[in-house]
């Protein structure tokens, strides 16, 4: 579990970087055999591209690092539950395990709203672990949206 905390702390740092640039603060780290092979944070607003989620960016980074689109035996550490788009990419990349900090009660596709990653109809079902540094993940998201709401109140 201490490795899980170490890697989740790194993902949370990436999430904070994204948040400081006005992105929804989500970060992701991909680990293979104890070594980081991919990193990602949300960049969809910066790049004007709705597909630039942290998980997608991390998957692309990891695939490039190892020279293979299959990330078999890799673990994904992500600060917020993946959406349906990211869950699909996780399945296609064959990530072995997904470690999640905070649940996403609006878009979560790992069992909270949708059950894409746990769906037995797919040919690949990664292991899913919720709650690693859950408090920190939830606080980061809540703080971000609270600041947005407060800035909108000031504008009116």
């Amino acid at each position: 579990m201490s490795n899980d905390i170490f890697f989740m702390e790194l993902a949370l740092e990436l999430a904070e970087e994204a948040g400081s640039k006005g992105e929804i603060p989500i970060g992701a780290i991909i680990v293979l055999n104890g070594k980081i092979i991919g990193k990602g944070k949300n960049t969809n607003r910066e790049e004007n591209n709705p597909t630039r989620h942290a998980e997608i960016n991390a998957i692309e980074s990891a695939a490039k690092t190892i020279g293979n689109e299959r990330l078999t035996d890799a673990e994904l550490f992500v600060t917020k539950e993946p959406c349906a788009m990211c869950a699909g990419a996780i399945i296609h990349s064959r990530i072995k395990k997904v470690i999640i900090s905070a649940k996403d009660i609006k878009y979560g596709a790992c069992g909270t709203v949708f059950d894409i990653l746990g769906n037995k109809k797919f040919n690949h079902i990664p292991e899913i672990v919720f709650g690693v540094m859950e408090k920190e993940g939830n606080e980061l998201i809540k703080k971000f949206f609270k600041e947005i709401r407060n800035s909108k109140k000031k504008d009116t």
Side-chain angles (χ1 to χ4, degrees), residues 61-131:
S61 172
K64 186 174 183 179
T65 297
I66 67 168
N68 193 330
E69 80 278 10
R70 299 284 189 239
L71 303 176
T72 309
D73 295 325
E75 297 178 327
L76 168 66
F77 293 81
V78 63
T79 60
K80 187 173 166 207
E81 184 177 359
C83 69
M85 174 184 69
C86 293
I90 291 164
I91 290 168
H92 285 290
S93 63
R94 306 296 194 271
I95 289 174
K96 179 181 181 178
K97 185 176 181 181
V98 180
I99 301 93
I100 303 162
S101 177
K103 289 184 178 183
D104 185 338
I105 60 170
K106 292 188 178 187
Y107 299 103
C110 301
T112 301
V113 177
F114 306 106
D115 195 14
I116 293 174
L117 286 190
N119 190 322
K120 293 182 180 7
K121 292 181 180 181
F122 289 113
N123 64 335
H124 177 73
I125 306 167
E127 179 183 349
I128 302 167
V129 175
F130 274 102

